[in-house]
Amino acid sequence: MCSTSSSLTRARPTNASATYRGRRNFFSATYGSNVTTREDADRTFRSNLNLTGRRLFDGRWFATSWGAVEQNDELSLDLRLVGAGGFGREVVHTNHRQWSMFTGLAYTHEQFSGEPSDESLEAAVGGRLDFFTPNNDDFDFTNQVIS
């Protein structure tokens, strides 16, 4: 005798982003969330909000700040807050590409379910690489790494 079981899974993703780029200022906000429901398991939810700001100075130098708020049921992460700031320099800036490197300090607060909260202050080092087409929003690729 063979038995089979089937469960219905529903995922409801939500994503949004906004960017402002002026002559001396850059601001970006991104939000993503996903709710997954299954007939045979508990509902899971994850979300993240990321904010970035940058102020440009002469000589391709800049001040930067970023922050994040995260929650993830699958990881038992009730709350993660990150706030950081620092300075950097654009190494390459052309009409089609921008490469920058930065360093600074990052504060992290994490709260996992059933555990005491954890706070830390850490050094942050990162880089950002953008490929884009000027005067055209058809192509914009950004990759950012922070360690």
Side-chain angles (χ1 to χ4, degrees):
M1 182 160 148
C2 178
S3 67
T4 61
S5 67
S6 142
S7 66
L8 181 61
T9 302
R10 290 189 177 100
R12 291 184 297 264
T14 302
N15 296 295
S17 66
T19 301
Y20 166 79
R21 187 182 306 261
R23 292 182 62 90
R24 293 247 179 219
N25 298 305
F26 170 83
F27 301 102
S28 174
T30 60
Y31 174 76
S33 71
N34 190 42
V35 178
T36 302
T37 56
R38 290 181 40 179
E39 292 176 344
D40 61 345
D42 291 336
R43 173 191 76 96
T44 60
F45 176 74
R46 75 170 184 258
S47 68
N48 60 57
L49 171 66
N50 294 290
L51 304 170
T52 303
R54 186 181 282 189
R55 172 75 175 165
L56 301 175
F57 299 108
D58 293 335
R60 297 189 305 200
W61 289 94
F62 60 87
T64 186
S65 62
W66 63 96
V69 179
E70 297 179 55
Q71 190 272 330
N72 189 324
D73 288 344
E74 291 177 317
L75 299 177
S76 298
L77 178 64
D78 292 335
L79 178 66
R80 177 181 291 140
L81 298 172
V82 178
F87 65 93
R89 188 159 195 274
E90 293 178 347
V91 179
V92 174
H93 192 147
T94 69
N95 288 340
H96 300 284
R97 145 178 85 248
Q98 182 178 346
W99 174 36
S100 60
M101 300 176 75
F102 53 90
T103 187
L105 292 174
Y107 166 79
T108 303
H109 171 88
E110 293 180 325
Q111 177 64 56
F112 288 90
S113 296
E115 296 182 19
S117 64
D118 183 37
E119 298 180 7
S120 63
L121 184 64
E122 303 168 356
V125 176
R128 180 180 174 116
L129 181 60
D130 293 323
F131 293 99
F132 49 87
T133 54
N135 301 323
N136 188 343
D137 291 335
D138 289 344
F139 181 72
D140 185 3
F141 175 78
T142 300
N143 190 14
Q144 182 166 309
V145 177
I146 300 172
S147 178

